[in-house]
Amino acid sequence: MHDIKFTHSVICVTYNHSKYIGKCLTSILSDDVIPDEIIVCDDCSSDDTVEQVEAYIKKYPGVIKLYKNKVNQGLFQNFNIAMKLATSDLIHFVSGDDWLEPGMIRSMNNVMLENKIDPIKEAFVLAPDIYIYNLDQRLKLVRNDFVNGFNPLKSLLRDKYSTRLVGFSRKLYSNIKPYRTDIGLWADRLHELELLRYVSSIYKVPGAFPVYRAGVGTTSTVKADELSSSYLKMLDCLTANDLGWDKNDICYIEYLKARELSKLNGQLVFLLKFYFKFSTVICDGVNFLDLRVVTSSFFRKKLKRHFN
């Protein structure tokens, strides 16, 4: 079994990542086990991102494959183009402004060997812990702790789990559909949730490896109301698509809608409507006692006009 060689593809999408692409590629290429291919798909960067990637190609010929879009495609269409290019047993995604901590590929290989799993035949995810790198230059550890009855789809819905888009088996990858390009930046969450319904197994990988750089990139330049609009579109898609939700999940999705609408409009009337509709439902992730306190104190004082 130890003679088995697993192949790995890292897909890296870039757009004006001149400040960060060096750290990203160095983190991947300086590891003790490097991937079989690094696919860089650049979306018409106007800085020297491409030139930096080309310099790495000279140092690592045959490993890095650079694809340059002729016209700017946007974040998710760039992902869609890049996804078609991966050829390995395991597929990992990283943005050009993020990076990977050392040891990920070796740890994933060990998990596959120990569990005797075949990425060609089984639709699984290998799930390490992740880091979030904040603007104050501090790393926040986000643990993917699996408990009895762990369901990745339900846990991701409630922000209790994250793949950070690494560790996808080839079998699972074959079910990947294109990112939606019509709902904004929350298309990535919708995409991840839709993919998880095809997962047959999920395996915990010891250690934290993917690092997400918060506060930079596309998300940091989008206005708050645009993000809210995208978030609500994503939630509407979740209720429209049958991903195997039960009554509890639908309740939670409706709660998220009500919470976002209340925040967006500066009014609690949406949460109050939700409370009266679902107050008899045992809904994981929603604290109805908190809602009662909020609506009884704040609503009476600030929103009484809605019932006059």
Side-chain angles (χ1 to χ4, degrees), residues 76 179-192 230 234:
F76 293 119
Y179 280 89
R180 292 273 299 268
T181 59
D182 59 337
I183 66 173
L185 285 176
W186 277 93
D188 58 349
R189 177 59 62 88
L190 175 63
H191 186 266
E192 194 173 4
S230 175
M234 182 271 294

Side-chain angles (χ1 to χ4, degrees), residues 1 10 28 60 65 84 111 117 119 124 152 197 229 232 239 255 262 287 296:
M1 188 70 183
V10 175
I28 302 168
Y60 300 90
K65 302 174 183 178
K84 299 176 182 178
V111 169
I117 50 178
F124 62 79
R197 65 175 162 175
S229 175
L232 291 168
T239 51
Y255 164 68
S262 295
N287 190 329
S296 64

